[in-house]
Amino acid sequence: MQAEETKVPGPGAGLCPGYTISRAILGDAVALTRGDRFLTTDFTPYNLTAWGFQDCARDTTNGAFGGALSKILFRTLPHHYDYNSVIGLFPFYTPKRMQTILQDLSVKRGNELYKRYNYELPHRHPDLVSVDSWQAVDKVLKDHKTFKNTYEEHMGQLTNGHGYLLAYDEEAKHDADLQLIREALFPDNEAMQRLARFYREKTTELINRKSFALIGKNTRSINIVRDVINLVPVHWVSTQIAGIPLKTLETPGGLHTEQEIYQYLAVVFTYIFLNVEPASGWILRESAEKVAETFQRQIRGHLDSFTTKKKSGLLSRGLTFNKKLKDLAVHKFTDQSEDSHAFLKRLAESGKSSEELSYLVFGTIVASGANFAHAAGLVVNFYLDDARAAEREDIINLVKLTTPESDARLAGYVREAMRLDPQAPGIFRDVTADTEIIEKDGLPGKKVVSGQRLFVSLAHANMDPIAFPDPKKIDPTRPRDKYMTFGSGMHTCLGNHFTEAMIPQLLRSIFSLKNLRRGPGISGYLNRFKQDVHGTEQYLYVNAKGQAGPWPASMVLLYDVDVPERPSGSNE
């Protein structure tokens, strides 16, 4: 016998069975739907493509414990939901009921998971406005009070509310940290030359180490993006800046491989600066927080090992000695050099706490890692196209020279490539006061209200003939002050001059290779496709797993090497 309480009959109640029969009916309906050969498609990469298969795969870290309906809601109504909205993540529960469930779950897990969710009802955000002309883009970016940056919140979440200079809207605070980091990076007139030499030599080293023979005896193949361009900044931020234990053939005791650190920097940059799709917001935040905690702890370990403040007392001296001993042990067991200590010591002389300085260093390496590699990869790809054979030949001749004039012209080629194929086609700004934006003199203005979001199209501004006459032409002698590839005004990216100086060093190593050319078939091209972002074209890149994202993953190049002829009669 079985006795279950049935559903209470009432208007519109329909069938009123017990729980077991209700569950059986529902399970049967689900099975029929899943198995219907006309209404469903087999869940395989063959039917859905590798990208579609990955996109539909269940992910238990998405904030909905693996639920897939939230992705449909977020993508269909992107202007209505925040990434942590319980209405979007758990659409079949009321916010009040879901809050109770999450609070109970938090108690069982011993954490504060429920505080990470937004329990407010969703509402439509104001329509986004695109800013396209060079004149309007320049005005918006230089007025940081009326048009506020959008990444302060995300940076604050990763730095215990402290933030980073690129997210500061307070000029005094921004300028103080900017000066501190510049003086630590470039303490003397030769610092930029030393850094340029590091980038050039590291690029050559990685090319020699990662290349392999593919065809014949004198041809070498190299995945220039995955194995060289993406890894050069990884070595710099790890060994020269943050002191992150890098695991290589020379340092097998390191904690993180080159590719791991690149992926870590990429996910944090994506969360801070590119996190505009609610469907991926939760996953990005969880991943970025783990990376931030790990890197900041390692950076603080180095900073704690020395101090500029004079401390008295046996206890203080003992604590300082213990910290130095601990840092020495870390270097010993991870095969790590102390090259980064010079930079960190210069920062410590400011008298700021190691915690505050660790946030500053963390923000610097995030801004200098994957973003730099992205720009450099696009520059190399740009000049490998057959349509730019004349410019490529000029670059090949320039990399053989070591004059200031050759450096200046190479920097001009870098600026032009980033203008015509920018790694950041646009950035977002939030309006803080009602105003009007004039795209061009004589045309009606665009009225925007407080709380509205702008998409500042750097790609369109880069093609404005008012700033760049004959904009499709490649001209390395254009005035430098017209470029806004790295923004404008107070929030101009720290890597503006840095990138212009370092990418030419990569070009010197790469374009000095003999008979440099693309690899066979599609392997020699960036695997990417275009999408429309508020009227501006943007590229997404497909990686080896079939996942689409903002970061280039692969581009194979071939080059020739001179192999000595074997002596006559040799059997080798």
Side-chain angles (χ1 to χ4, degrees):
M1 293 181 64
Q2 178 177 335
E4 286 184 341
E5 183 179 0
T6 61
K7 184 178 179 181
V8 179
L15 295 175
C16 299
Y19 171 81
T20 302
I21 295 179
S22 296
R23 184 66 180 80
I25 294 173
L26 178 62
D28 184 55
V30 170
L32 289 173
T33 301
R34 285 178 173 173
D36 192 298
R37 61 193 177 98
F38 297 105
L39 299 179
T40 62
T41 300
D42 288 345
F43 185 51
T44 64
Y46 179 82
N47 288 328
L48 302 179
T49 73
W51 171 82
F53 185 79
Q54 292 283 352
D55 192 53
C56 295
R58 185 169 182 260
D59 190 340
T60 57
T61 65
N62 67 348
F65 304 105
L69 187 57
S70 59
K71 184 178 290 187
I72 297 175
L73 292 174
F74 287 158
R75 289 180 174 175
T76 306
L77 301 169
H79 302 300
H80 291 74
Y81 295 98
D82 294 326
Y83 74 93
N84 59 348
S85 168
V86 291
I87 295 292
L89 293 168
F90 308 101
F92 294 123
Y93 288 85
T94 64
K96 184 177 181 180
R97 175 58 181 158
M98 200 62 222
Q99 185 172 14
T100 301
I101 294 174
L102 291 171
Q103 285 176 336
D104 292 342
L105 183 62
S106 298
V107 172
K108 292 179 180 179
R109 292 184 174 182
N111 58 27
E112 295 184 336
L113 174 67
Y114 73 97
K115 291 184 178 180
R116 303 174 74 84
Y117 289 88
N118 179 3
Y119 300 94
E120 297 179 359
L121 294 176
H123 63 279
R124 180 175 175 80
H125 302 298
D127 290 335
L128 187 143
V129 175
S130 179
V131 182
D132 301 295
S133 70
W134 188 93
Q135 173 182 317
V137 168
D138 186 56
K139 173 179 172 56
V140 168
L141 294 181
K142 287 181 177 178
D143 187 358
H144 63 274
K145 294 182 179 179
T146 306
F147 307 104
K148 183 180 176 65
N149 75 76
T150 59
Y151 28 83
E152 182 177 8
E153 177 185 358
H154 294 155
M155 193 65 195
Q157 290 170 346
L158 301 181
T159 57
N160 197 27
H162 182 76
Y164 180 63
L165 63 92
L166 290 179
Y168 296 155
D169 282 318
E170 302 175 33
E171 293 188 38
K173 190 176 182 181
H174 169 275
D175 293 346
D177 275 9
L178 180 60
Q179 182 178 357
L180 176 60
I181 199 70
R182 278 180 174 170
E183 291 178 352
L185 285 172
F186 311 111
D188 53 58
N189 295 331
E190 287 74 37
M192 187 67 81
Q193 286 75 17
R194 290 195 299 270
L195 186 54
R197 185 166 56 252
F198 176 89
Y199 267 75
R200 184 173 62 255
E201 292 176 353
K202 184 57 65 175
T203 303
T204 301
E205 175 191 329
L206 289 172
I207 290 174
N208 293 334
R209 181 191 303 171
K210 304 286 186 177
S211 296
F212 58 92
L214 181 64
I215 303 171
K217 298 179 181 179
N218 67 333
T219 300
R220 298 291 181 268
S221 175
I222 180 69
N223 193 321
I224 201 70
V225 168
R226 185 193 66 194
D227 294 336
V228 179
I229 294 176
N230 285 355
L231 303 187
V232 171
V234 164
H235 280 267
W236 181 64
V237 301
S238 300
T239 63
Q240 307 295 311
I241 300 299
I244 298 171
L246 186 60
K247 187 181 185 69
T248 65
L249 291 175
E250 294 78 16
T251 56
L255 301 181
H256 313 286
T257 66
E258 300 162 311
Q259 295 293 345
E260 284 175 342
I261 294 179
Y262 171 79
Q263 294 297 333
Y264 294 158
L265 296 174
V267 75
V268 176
F269 189 98
T270 304
Y271 175 66
I272 296 172
F273 299 102
L274 307 177
N275 182 18
V276 294
E277 184 182 344
S280 57
W282 188 282
I283 299 172
L284 284 173
R285 178 177 178 175
E286 293 286 307
S287 301
E289 286 180 338
K290 293 178 182 178
V291 174
E293 181 183 0
T294 299
F295 281 0
Q296 290 166 17
R297 181 177 65 251
Q298 293 170 351
I299 295 168
R300 279 196 297 271
H302 297 303
L303 288 167
D304 285 339
S305 67
F306 44 79
T307 178
T308 59
K309 293 182 177 180
K310 294 182 179 180
K311 295 183 179 181
S312 60
L314 184 61
L315 179 60
S316 296
R317 290 196 296 271
L319 290 174
T320 301
F321 177 77
N322 286 338
K323 290 176 180 178
K324 290 182 178 180
L325 192 62
K326 181 179 179 181
D327 185 64
L328 182 64
V330 170
H331 285 281
K332 177 68 176 178
F333 289 106
T334 61
D335 303 314
Q336 184 185 2
S337 71
E338 295 187 354
D339 293 343
S340 63
H341 276 198
F343 168 76
L344 295 174
K345 284 181 179 179
R346 289 193 290 270
L347 284 181
E349 291 173 359
S350 66
K352 293 188 175 184
S353 68
S354 60
E355 179 182 7
E356 189 175 0
L357 290 175
S358 71
Y359 300 146
L360 184 60
V361 175
F362 176 71
T364 301
I365 66 173
V366 169
S368 307
N371 191 40
F372 173 91
H374 188 180
L378 292 183
V379 171
V380 173
N381 175 70
F382 185 81
Y383 290 112
L384 283 172
D385 280 352
D386 292 338
R388 292 156 196 129
E391 290 81 8
R392 180 170 65 251
E393 189 63 30
D394 191 23
I395 291 174
I396 291 174
N397 292 328
L398 288 171
V399 300
K400 299 174 183 178
L401 307 176
T402 57
T403 62
E405 292 77 15
S406 65
D407 286 336
R409 190 166 178 83
L410 283 173
Y413 275 122
V414 169
R415 288 193 294 269
E416 282 291 86
M418 292 194 294
R419 178 179 70 85
L420 294 167
D421 190 6
Q423 87 276 18
I427 53 181
F428 294 90
R429 289 291 185 266
D430 285 337
V431 181
T432 62
D434 297 357
T435 187
E436 187 177 52
I437 299 173
I438 306 297
E439 287 280 6
K440 293 183 180 180
D441 294 335
L443 296 180
K446 296 179 179 179
K447 294 183 178 180
V448 293
V449 299
S450 178
Q452 202 161 15
R453 177 158 289 188
L454 306 179
F455 179 76
V456 184
S457 180
L458 301 176
H460 287 176
N462 287 338
M463 298 300 291
D464 191 331
I466 294 178
F468 302 98
D470 195 2
K472 293 184 179 181
K473 179 182 178 182
I474 301 173
D475 182 2
T477 64
R478 294 185 191 272
R480 188 185 180 282
D481 61 346
K482 295 296 183 180
Y483 293 89
M484 291 189 289
T485 308
F486 291 92
S488 182
M490 189 178 79
H491 289 300
T492 299
C493 180
L494 178 65
N496 189 8
H497 294 279
F498 174 86
T499 300
E500 285 186 15
M502 295 307 118
I503 291 183
Q505 304 310 315
L506 273 71
L507 297 184
R508 288 186 179 279
S509 293
I510 294 171
F511 282 93
S512 64
L513 298 173
K514 183 180 179 181
N515 193 21
L516 182 69
R517 59 203 184 272
R518 293 188 185 274
I522 62 173
S523 71
Y525 294 83
L526 295 175
N527 189 2
R528 60 180 184 172
F529 61 91
K530 292 180 180 178
Q531 68 170 359
D532 183 277
V533 179
H534 309 295
T536 297
E537 286 186 347
Q538 182 185 39
Y539 282 104
L540 285 181
Y541 301 84
V542 181
N543 63 21
K545 296 181 179 180
Q547 299 169 321
W551 306 107
S554 176
M555 185 171 70
V556 175
L557 302 183
L558 302 179
Y559 64 96
D560 296 336
V561 295
D562 295 324
V563 179
E565 294 184 3
R566 290 179 299 178
S568 177
S570 172
N571 293 324
E572 294 182 3

